[in-house]
Amino acid sequence: MKLNSCEEICISPNSPTLLQTAHFPGNMYNNYSPATPRTNSYSPTTPRTRLERLLRERELRKLNRSLNFHSTEEPRDGSREGELFWNDPFLTDGDNLSFCNEEEFLEVARPSNDGFEWLDGRPSKQRLLVVANRLPVSAIRKGEDSWQLEVSVGGLVTALLGVKEFEARWIGWAGVNVPDEIGQRALTKALAEKRCIPVFLDEEIVHQYYNGYCNNILWPLFHYLGLPQEDRLATTRSFQSQFDAYKKANQMFADVVNEHYEEGDVVWCHDYHLMFLPKCLKEYNSKMKVGWFLHTPFPSSEIHRTLPSRSELLRSVLAADLVGFHTYDYARHFVSACTRILGLEGTPEGVENQGKLTRVAAFPIGIDSDRFIRALELPQVQEHMKELKERFSDRKVMLGVDRLDMIKGIPQKILAFEKFLEENPNWRDKVVLLQIAVPTRTDVPEYQKLTSQVHEIVGRINGKFGTLTAVPIHHLDRSLDFHALCALYAVTDVALVTSLRDGMNLVSYEFVACQASKKGVLILSEFAGAAQSLGAGAILVNPWNITEVANSIGYALNMPPDEREKRHWHNFMHVTTHTSQEWAETFVSELNDTILEAQLRTKQVPPLLPAEVAINRYIQSNNRLLILGFNATITEPADNPGSRGDQIKEMELKLHPDLKEPLKMLCDDPKTTVVVLSGSDRSVLDDNFGEYDLWLAAENGMFLRCTKGEWMTTMPENLNMDWVDSVKHVFEYFTERTPRSHFELRETSLVWNYKYADFEFGRLQARDMLQHLWTGPISNASLDVVQGGRSVEVRAVGVTKGAAIDRILGEIVHYKGMKEPIDYVLCIGHFLGKDEDVYTFFEPELPSETTIAARTKVAEPATCATKVSINKCGSKGCCNKNQRPLSSLAKRTGNEGNGWQCTHGQILIQEGSSVLDLNGDNYFSCAVGRKRSKARYLLASSDDVVTLLKDLAESCLSG
Ligand SMILES: O=P(O)(O)OC[C@H]1O[C@H](O[C@H]2O[C@H](CO)[C@@H](O)[C@H](O)[C@H]2O)[C@H](O)[C@@H](O)[C@@H]1O
Ligand SMILES: O=c1ccn([C@@H]2O[C@H](COP(=O)(O)OP(=O)(O)O)[C@@H](O)[C@H]2O)c(=O)[nH]1
């Protein structure tokens, strides 16, 4: 017989679909009519899978966009082009608000069941609450109650301004301390006109949260600059107070969101400033649709694990429904931090924690490319371009545009330019580098130091290569307005982006968008997220390699036109098709779908055990059977559940200390029989339960012992164990090569466990092992290979708890001389999928009738097969040919008699009477700490088992 593979989970870390967002040219749903109302019933065009749904939504969005395009197309004369927020309703001037005022806005968006918004038979805009540390405008106080608003600089702002498909409101900090009520009220009003809602943070919080925890700890860490060292050590000391301020600030953001939230809204949290926010929001309302997107890199888990608050932050983010990153690498790092640091399950969809899935995926951001392309036609931009061309008519223009941040590699860029000039004297009077360095985070000492450093280098180089009339580097410590920036991009010959790390880098996108005429060259750091999307057309460099960057400058300046053209078009296509609109729509659509899918999944999750009912039924019953798993059911809980924990301590399984008393009471009750049914071997059960009056079923029920007696075997006859040596050999091999893994050699099975090993490595090793077991020399043996969450188990076919239970039951009935049938069963365990057959064993045959007796009286042997078949899966007690009849066991143990007998697969307590008279309402199967189970009910953890058993024990005392 071939090996059976019984999967507990199916993980494929290299699956090509892992964490990827689908982008297919879908035309499958062209027959969809926007007026068609949605129903829940499946029609040939009703998408059933996630991918089908997402493809359909993409089609719908395209359709919706084309409909909107025809009705709201901008005038082509560019009359409104001069405004930065020319078609963005939430950032138009207050006067313009009438075209989409507050009342209209609130009226429009009403969610339908599946997350779509519908208006007049076609999808309308969904309400989107964008929550980011910074509002798209910064406020400058002009008087007690008057404010001036200025557009904030940064990629996040640029990207989100391009999002037009939603009724968006922006919640964030206005970048200013407003201690007085008059000021707050006036600013709130001014911002409301821009559809912005302020979060007021006081100076101390800003200092500790923004300058401290965000910009001095998380920002450098996420960009691989490590935690504070030497002069930043003071920060390490104040770490805890900064983290407290961070949590407090996040809670303040949450409070404002909660105040403005309406049912059906999508709440989209942004960036490392707000990692605590998803948790705060879900605590307030678990039904809120919450997404979180990180604009920076997420570093390797090795970097993240140095952070003192590493686990708390990860857990908070995981409270979101969807977590997004710019690139697949960042998403992969995040999942691996969750598996390595929190010990959670990484799946192809994301991270799973006790059945709750947080979807994790890559959503590369883009820009509103049309806005840049159109701006180039504006007279004022043309004028700027003309001036610049004249000014630098005799030189090639190289451009750098960055916030003055250490991650942007500005010193490295300038040093590479210096090297280029040194090595290419002929270029010294033919090229100029324009470096726009926008001041940022100026309160943080590191940034102040960087400014001086850059000034020093620029001064030195200009001194070295400058003349009385010209300098090679024009360095500006300021930002430019949109039009000036577009003109600059357009006249540039070579753009130089040398970020040491950068989440994406939108400057590179903007440059490409403005280069349709010139087709200049982009030199791009391989450490910017943009390298993954624009890498084909750009010249990729390692910014730390000054020689390489200098050579690339030479290559770019000398590049022939046809190569420039090819490279440019490649990137131009990407920039104009992967826009910020697409980005936001894809994210929100996936978020809606994630929630839809979670709802579908929830329907399949068994309900929590109705403990009171189970207890009442228990009290009313006369012959009860309690079947308890051991490990993770009634054992003492791990100190740090989920994580790798203390191996030495945890490997020695111990009964939960709070259960000693109640278990004794239950065992001593003459109306109750307790069975501990475990995969563990006999000695483990002996050590834990020797003093109790109960039944021990070791090795998945293959050995049985009443604690008053000796161990006996219930193993099926002819159980083939010839394979053991070969499998042992394989297990030894993998144990040697997987640090902190171990294996247990039991009499009827072998278990290789990698719970304490590096999770990803263990998983790969397990995959390799399974491959070998399924296809190698032992693949023809009569084996079951059972894959657990963190284990691989090999057993002889027929070794399962469900297969064993009828033999165990027979033995107990026989031994106890039961006269009365069992009328109550409570079966609780944290079992592998393979062993969940124990739950179905007791299920009444006729599911519709709750009152039928599962095992009715057997009048004639001939009816036994239909009326009383014990197990639906075919392994039926003593009728199975492979199993030793219980009568032989009985003989061996000398316990025959007492009216018990075994006839045609049925255990009878006396002539014609079944051992079970189980009313459906008296059967409680219950899986612990699982969401997917064949059990009727769930309990969250072994702590809940303790509570339940305590209550059961006490119920009879009081009764
Ligand atoms: O608000 P500041 O503290 O002054 O910083 C400005 C923004 O910088 C970061 O931008 C990132 O987002 C871009 C768009 O996704 C991405 O292209 C870039 O690589 C990132 O550095 C930061 O993440 C934002 O929160 C800041 O607002
Ligand atoms: O004088 C300037 C310089 C830059 N930017 C904008 O700042 C953003 C920088 O985004 P990027 O993703 O490159 O980096 P970030 O600063 O967000 O880290 C881009 O959209 C630029 O157009 C700007 O508005 N004015």
Side-chain angles (χ1 to χ4, degrees):
M1 191 194 298
K2 278 264 173 212
L3 253 79
N4 298 329
S5 67
C6 310
E7 82 300 334
E8 185 72 357
I9 51 160
C10 176
I11 308 160
S12 103
N14 294 336
S15 154
T17 59
L18 180 69
L19 306 169
Q20 291 285 26
T21 304
H23 282 287
F24 293 151
N27 57 2
M28 286 161 67
Y29 306 108
N30 284 350
N31 53 353
Y32 165 76
S33 146
T36 311
R38 290 175 161 233
T39 62
N40 285 333
S41 62
Y42 288 133
S43 72
T45 53
T46 305
R48 247 169 291 195
T49 67
R50 194 170 74 91
L51 194 57
E52 279 176 1
R53 285 195 301 271
L54 292 172
L55 280 166
R56 183 167 115 157
E57 286 203 18
R58 189 171 177 275
E59 284 295 301
L60 277 173
R61 283 201 306 271
K62 272 166 72 183
L63 182 74
N64 196 22
R65 213 175 294 145
S66 70
L67 290 172
N68 283 340
F69 178 76
H70 293 302
S71 57
T72 63
E73 198 177 355
E74 287 300 316
R76 305 301 296 173
D77 62 3
S79 54
R80 298 183 63 201
E81 301 275 300
E83 290 173 46
L84 179 53
F85 308 124
W86 58 274
N87 61 353
D88 202 306
F90 83 99
L91 283 170
T92 47
D93 287 336
D95 295 342
N96 294 342
L97 271 177
S98 54
F99 100 93
C100 186
N101 66 27
E102 203 90 331
E103 294 83 65
E104 268 175 75
F105 170 73
L106 294 172
E107 230 177 23
V108 185
R110 283 285 167 265
S112 65
N113 289 342
D114 52 8
F116 267 83
E117 311 304 332
W118 290 84
L119 187 72
D120 299 336
R122 72 189 178 101
S124 78
K125 293 181 176 184
Q126 185 170 25
R127 256 182 64 126
L128 177 65
L129 300 183
V130 172
V131 197
N133 171 65
R134 201 174 270 279
L135 287 173
V137 284
S138 300
I140 300 158
R141 195 158 194 169
K142 291 290 169 189
E144 199 186 18
D145 63 352
S146 71
W147 291 90
Q148 183 188 317
L149 302 179
E150 277 185 3
V151 183
S152 311
V153 176
L156 193 153
V157 171
T158 311
L160 283 163
L161 289 185
V163 176
K164 304 183 189 82
E165 288 303 306
F166 303 95
E167 290 292 350
R169 290 188 162 200
W170 196 307
I171 296 175
W173 171 57
V176 63
N177 179 26
V178 194
D180 58 305
E181 216 174 289
I182 299 180
Q184 290 194 359
R185 225 178 300 128
L187 181 55
T188 306
K189 190 160 174 274
L191 287 171
E193 291 179 1
K194 308 287 183 198
R195 298 204 162 214
C196 292
I197 302 161
V199 178
F200 291 108
L201 305 173
D202 66 38
E203 247 169 60
E204 181 54 19
I205 284 272
V206 169
H207 181 61
Q208 298 256 354
Y209 144 79
Y210 180 66
N211 295 332
Y213 198 77
C214 292
N215 290 336
N216 207 20
I217 294 192
L218 289 182
W219 178 267
L221 189 78
F222 282 10
H223 290 88
Y224 290 81
L225 297 174
L227 286 174
Q229 284 172 17
E230 295 155 18
D231 52 339
R232 284 204 285 147
L233 263 181
T235 319
T236 311
R237 281 197 296 275
S238 49
F239 177 87
Q240 193 54 47
S241 64
Q242 293 189 355
F243 187 50
D244 292 343
Y246 179 84
K247 290 195 277 188
K248 189 170 168 197
N250 275 242
Q251 186 57 55
M252 290 164 85
F253 278 84
D255 292 343
V256 177
V257 175
N258 295 339
E259 203 181 302
H260 293 267
Y261 173 80
E262 289 182 13
E263 202 185 323
D265 287 356
V266 164
V267 185
W268 191 3
C269 314
H270 288 267
D271 236 353
Y272 59 99
H273 313 90
L274 300 177
M275 293 178 84
F276 217 68
L277 186 57
K279 179 172 177 278
C280 300
L281 295 175
K282 287 286 187 174
E283 274 169 6
Y284 170 77
N285 179 351
S286 62
K287 294 217 168 67
M288 212 182 257
K289 294 179 184 176
V290 179
W292 181 80
F293 185 87
L294 184 66
H295 290 263
T296 70
F298 192 90
S300 143
S301 61
E302 283 304 303
I303 296 279
H304 184 78
R305 64 191 274 224
T306 60
L307 186 67
S309 50
R310 60 196 184 180
S311 304
E312 216 174 333
L313 282 183
L314 290 176
R315 284 190 194 285
S316 314
V317 168
L318 286 175
D321 301 291
L322 176 63
V323 172
F325 298 89
H326 282 312
T327 71
Y328 172 75
D329 281 341
Y330 307 158
R332 188 168 53 80
H333 288 157
F334 177 78
V335 173
S336 107
C338 293
T339 57
R340 283 157 181 254
I341 297 168
L342 302 180
L344 299 178
E345 215 70 78
T347 77
E349 280 84 32
V351 179
E352 206 168 304
N353 185 9
Q354 305 221 337
K356 193 243 175 213
L357 174 76
T358 305
R359 191 174 291 286
V360 179
F363 301 90
I365 206 169
I367 60 166
D368 182 358
S369 50
D370 276 357
R371 188 173 146 236
F372 285 84
I373 294 167
R374 270 197 290 247
L376 297 181
E377 303 300 320
L378 296 173
Q380 59 269 50
V381 177
Q382 292 279 331
E383 186 58 31
H384 267 309
M385 285 166 62
K386 192 164 158 267
E387 280 164 21
L388 287 165
K389 278 179 190 162
E390 279 168 13
R391 172 77 179 79
F392 299 112
S393 57
D394 54 345
R395 292 182 185 231
K396 291 271 184 190
V397 175
M398 294 189 56
L399 177 67
V401 177
D402 310 271
R403 277 180 308 102
L404 190 45
D405 194 307
M406 40 278 180
I407 67 147
K408 301 289 181 182
I410 297 173
Q412 285 80 353
K413 176 176 355 195
I414 299 173
L415 290 175
F417 185 63
E418 179 187 28
K419 190 167 170 59
F420 170 75
L421 293 180
E422 266 168 9
E423 290 172 359
N424 298 276
N426 54 323
W427 272 102
R428 285 179 194 165
D429 56 354
K430 294 196 186 76
V431 64
V432 63
L433 171 63
L434 310 181
Q435 176 63 49
I436 313 300
V438 182
T440 184
R441 306 169 194 176
T442 43
D443 293 338
V444 180
E446 288 289 298
Y447 287 77
Q448 294 160 0
K449 236 188 280 163
L450 178 69
T451 311
S452 328
Q453 192 192 11
V454 170
H455 286 175
E456 193 268 320
I457 305 173
V458 170
R460 184 171 55 72
I461 298 171
N462 278 345
K464 195 159 136 193
F465 296 109
T467 64
L468 277 178
T469 51
V471 287
I473 303 175
H474 288 239
H475 178 90
L476 262 67
D477 273 343
R478 46 163 287 208
S479 63
L480 296 183
D481 70 35
F482 178 63
H483 296 138
L485 197 57
C486 290
L488 204 47
Y489 283 140
V491 301
T492 295
D493 295 281
V494 177
L496 198 43
V497 176
T498 52
S499 311
L500 306 179
R501 295 277 165 181
D502 214 337
M504 179 57 86
N505 189 281
L506 294 182
V507 163
S508 51
Y509 275 59
E510 293 166 4
F511 167 71
V512 170
C514 294
Q515 281 284 318
S517 321
K518 191 140 201 174
K519 300 174 179 62
V521 184
L522 172 65
I523 298 177
L524 177 60
S525 163
E526 62 187 61
F527 297 111
Q532 305 208 358
S533 40
L534 304 182
I539 300 176
L540 290 185
V541 289
N542 171 3
W544 295 99
N545 186 339
I546 303 289
T547 308
E548 188 193 347
V549 180
N551 291 342
S552 301
I553 293 174
Y555 186 75
L557 288 170
N558 291 307
M559 190 181 284
D562 57 336
E563 183 179 344
R564 279 196 284 135
E565 172 132 13
K566 253 189 250 163
R567 286 177 179 269
H568 168 74
W569 276 113
H570 191 95
N571 283 348
F572 189 75
M573 284 309 290
H574 183 90
V575 167
T576 49
T577 49
H578 294 74
T579 60
S580 47
Q581 290 95 311
E582 274 285 330
W583 166 72
E585 284 163 14
T586 312
F587 186 91
V588 175
S589 141
E590 284 236 18
L591 177 54
N592 280 321
D593 192 77
T594 300
I595 284 154
L596 184 73
E597 215 181 48
Q599 283 163 355
L600 294 174
R601 245 199 326 265
T602 311
K603 282 188 190 144
Q604 293 157 8
V605 175
L608 286 178
L609 178 79
E612 233 175 86
V613 179
I615 294 168
N616 282 337
R617 293 273 163 183
Y618 179 85
I619 296 169
Q620 287 158 24
S621 310
N622 290 316
N623 190 7
R624 311 136 178 162
L625 177 65
L626 302 191
I627 302 169
L628 306 175
F630 180 44
N631 192 7
T633 305
I634 55 172
T635 47
E636 73 185 339
D639 286 345
N640 197 0
S643 74
R644 283 207 254 162
D646 184 334
Q647 182 172 1
I648 302 297
K649 235 169 93 187
E650 284 180 21
M651 273 172 59
E652 198 185 328
L653 294 180
K654 288 250 168 57
L655 174 66
H656 197 301
D658 296 351
L659 268 181
K660 291 189 173 170
E661 202 43 45
L663 186 62
K664 182 153 184 2
M665 285 159 71
L666 290 168
C667 293
D668 291 346
D669 186 332
K671 287 184 179 176
T672 302
T673 304
V674 180
V675 181
V676 175
L677 177 54
S678 169
S680 300
D681 64 26
R682 288 175 277 182
S683 62
V684 175
L685 299 189
D686 281 339
D687 290 348
N688 276 284
F689 300 101
E691 65 201 77
Y692 299 89
D693 182 7
L694 47 61
W695 288 79
L696 298 175
E699 300 218 7
N700 299 309
M702 295 301 116
F703 295 96
L704 183 68
R705 176 193 169 201
C706 164
T707 43
K708 288 181 187 148
E710 294 301 309
W711 282 101
M712 60 183 117
T713 173
T714 65
M715 254 188 268
E717 260 178 3
N718 314 322
L719 198 67
N720 180 0
M721 299 298 287
D722 296 345
W723 48 269
V724 169
D725 280 344
S726 322
V727 173
K728 188 173 156 227
H729 191 62
V730 175
F731 275 23
E732 275 167 355
Y733 174 91
F734 280 94
T735 306
E736 276 162 21
R737 282 159 185 76
T738 315
R740 292 189 70 180
S741 73
H742 63 280
F743 82 90
E744 270 179 74
L745 180 58
R746 299 172 182 165
E747 285 196 43
T748 54
S749 65
L750 266 88
V751 186
W752 181 67
N753 192 309
Y754 58 94
K755 180 176 173 200
Y756 302 98
D758 176 287
F759 177 63
E760 275 161 39
F761 182 56
R763 194 161 69 170
L764 287 172
Q765 292 287 77
R767 216 166 56 151
D768 220 10
M769 177 192 273
L770 288 167
Q771 182 78 6
H772 182 75
L773 292 171
W774 283 328
T775 57
I778 42 173
S779 61
N780 282 325
S782 219
L783 299 178
D784 272 335
V785 179
V786 187
Q787 191 182 356
R790 309 253 159 121
S791 65
V792 175
E793 201 166 326
V794 180
R795 309 168 176 181
V797 167
V799 178
T800 74
K801 292 184 169 82
I805 196 68
D806 50 359
R807 301 192 295 276
I808 293 171
L809 208 54
E811 200 59 38
I812 293 173
V813 168
H814 171 56
Y815 180 89
K816 282 191 135 182
M818 275 184 194
K819 294 280 185 306
E820 219 176 325
I822 293 167
D823 59 355
Y824 177 98
V825 175
L826 171 63
C827 178
I828 311 177
H830 176 85
F831 298 138
L832 291 176
K834 177 85 180 154
D835 289 318
E836 287 213 332
D837 55 356
V838 70
Y839 299 134
T840 39
F841 174 86
F842 292 97
E843 280 296 348
E845 292 283 343
L846 303 169
S848 56
E849 257 188 87
T850 51
T851 51
I852 55 145
R855 309 286 179 269
T856 49
K857 286 190 175 182
V858 183
E860 295 162 329
T863 60
C864 140
T866 47
K867 267 187 143 177
V868 295
S869 61
I870 288 177
N871 191 329
K872 290 166 202 153
C873 74
S875 151
K876 289 191 182 63
C878 51
C879 275
N880 189 323
K881 276 206 278 321
N882 292 331
Q883 296 165 2
R884 180 157 19 126
L886 276 168
S887 50
S888 69
L889 249 184
K891 264 181 216 135
R892 198 170 62 80
T893 53
N895 286 325
E896 65 269 72
N898 295 336
W900 173 86
Q901 55 180 280
C902 170
T903 314
H904 293 277
Q906 179 56 28
I907 307 162
L908 305 174
I909 50 175
Q910 56 194 4
E911 194 67 44
S913 295
S914 166
V915 64
L916 282 167
D917 183 9
L918 191 57
N919 179 315
D921 290 346
N922 274 10
Y923 175 49
F924 299 90
S925 55
C926 189
V928 182
R930 296 215 182 277
K931 285 277 149 92
R932 272 172 242 138
S933 173
K934 289 181 197 157
R936 288 181 165 200
Y937 305 106
L938 300 181
L939 279 176
S941 68
S942 56
D943 286 339
D944 294 343
V945 181
V946 173
T947 310
L948 175 74
L949 295 184
K950 270 184 182 169
D951 290 350
L952 272 189
E954 280 160 17
S955 68
C956 282
L957 278 186
S958 51

